[in-house]
């Protein structure tokens, strides 16, 4: 299976995927796409010999589809991708787009819920567990069918950064 990974930042989930997908794996990362030319994960991809491309307009479905077709992509993986995927791309890749989110969805998801904001909201709520979710992407932010989840405890005195680090480790395994 030919996989495209979409990133907006440092790409530590991309790193975890690349480490896991050895030469005999049933899936291979053939393209890394970013909406930001400064995303650290682009360098990671290039160092691994994977084409790393920057979208000139992340809201332009035809640009997406052209790039995905050029690399014969079967599956899209959003790993810290902060833009909405255009609806025609979602329709073309129906049930073939995965996202990872740093909370136990459907709690603490939706527009504006990313990065430390998620962990701050969890701490403010008094929740005693949080975690990570892998789900299918549909037209609504963070609401597609859930494929896998894992939980971590929220500890007394946690800062958003503490909780974020604990969850990021879990994301890499998930
Ligand atoms: C992760 O927490 C992921 O769940 C999220 O954005 C973060 C990306 O981290 N949606 P990285 O770029 O993979 O290090």
């Amino acid at each position: 299976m030919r996989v495209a990974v979409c990133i907006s930042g440092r790409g530590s989930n991309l790193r975890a995927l690349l480490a896991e997908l050895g030469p005999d794996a049933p899936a291979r990362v053939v393209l890394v796409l970013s909406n930001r030319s400064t995303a650290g994960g682009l360098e990671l991809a290039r160092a691994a010999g994977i084409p790393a491309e920057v979208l000139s307009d992340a809201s332009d479905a035809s640009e997406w589809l052209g790039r995905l077709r050029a690399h014969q992509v079967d599956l899209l993986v959003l790993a810290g991708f902060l833009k909405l995927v255009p609806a025609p791309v979602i329709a073309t890749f129906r049930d073939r787009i995965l996202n990872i989110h740093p909370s136990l969805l459907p709690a603490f998801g939706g527009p504006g819920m990313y990065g430390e904001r998620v962990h701050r909201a969890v701490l403010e709520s008094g929740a005693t567990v949080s975690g990570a979710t892998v789900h299918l992407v549909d037209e609504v932010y963070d609401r597609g069918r859930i494929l896998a989840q894992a939980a971590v405890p929220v500890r007394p005195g946690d800062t958003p950064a503490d909780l974020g680090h604990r969850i990021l480790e879990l994301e890499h395994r998930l």
Side-chain angles (χ1 to χ4, degrees):
M1 185 173 276
R2 297 172 63 82
V3 179
V5 179
C6 306
I7 59 168
S8 298
R10 72 197 146 180
S12 72
N13 279 289
L14 168 66
R15 186 193 300 275
L17 285 169
L18 294 177
E20 189 62 28
L21 297 175
D24 298 328
R28 188 188 325 148
V29 179
V30 297
L31 174 66
V32 172
L33 273 181
S34 180
N35 60 308
R36 289 179 53 228
S37 60
T38 52
L42 290 170
E43 280 316 309
L44 200 66
R46 292 186 184 119
I50 298 165
E53 300 181 3
V54 179
L55 291 159
S56 50
D57 178 0
S59 65
D60 178 359
S62 58
E63 182 183 350
W64 276 86
L65 292 171
R67 292 181 188 275
L68 296 172
R69 251 184 237 119
H71 293 275
Q72 295 170 287
V73 168
D74 302 306
L75 181 84
L76 265 169
V77 171
L78 312 185
F81 186 71
L82 297 179
K83 291 274 182 188
L84 199 61
V85 177
V89 178
I90 293 176
T92 305
F93 282 81
R94 177 81 54 206
D95 293 341
R96 290 187 291 143
I97 311 180
L98 311 185
N99 182 45
I100 187 155
H101 182 81
S103 78
L104 293 173
L105 291 177
F108 306 107
M113 274 294 187
Y114 60 87
E116 287 214 351
R117 295 176 191 210
V118 178
H119 310 306
R120 207 172 300 126
V122 169
L123 293 174
E124 280 166 10
S125 77
T128 56
V129 289
S130 191
T133 301
V134 173
H135 64 97
L136 290 176
V137 172
D138 63 16
E139 283 77 2
V140 185
Y141 258 123
D142 295 332
R143 285 293 149 136
R145 184 179 170 73
I146 291 170
L147 301 180
Q149 287 186 310
V152 291
V154 177
R155 301 222 169 95
D158 266 352
T159 64
D162 295 333
L163 184 56
H165 288 136
R166 195 173 306 132
I167 291 174
L168 193 64
E169 266 179 39
L170 192 67
E171 290 183 49
H172 295 162
R173 292 205 296 274
L174 200 57

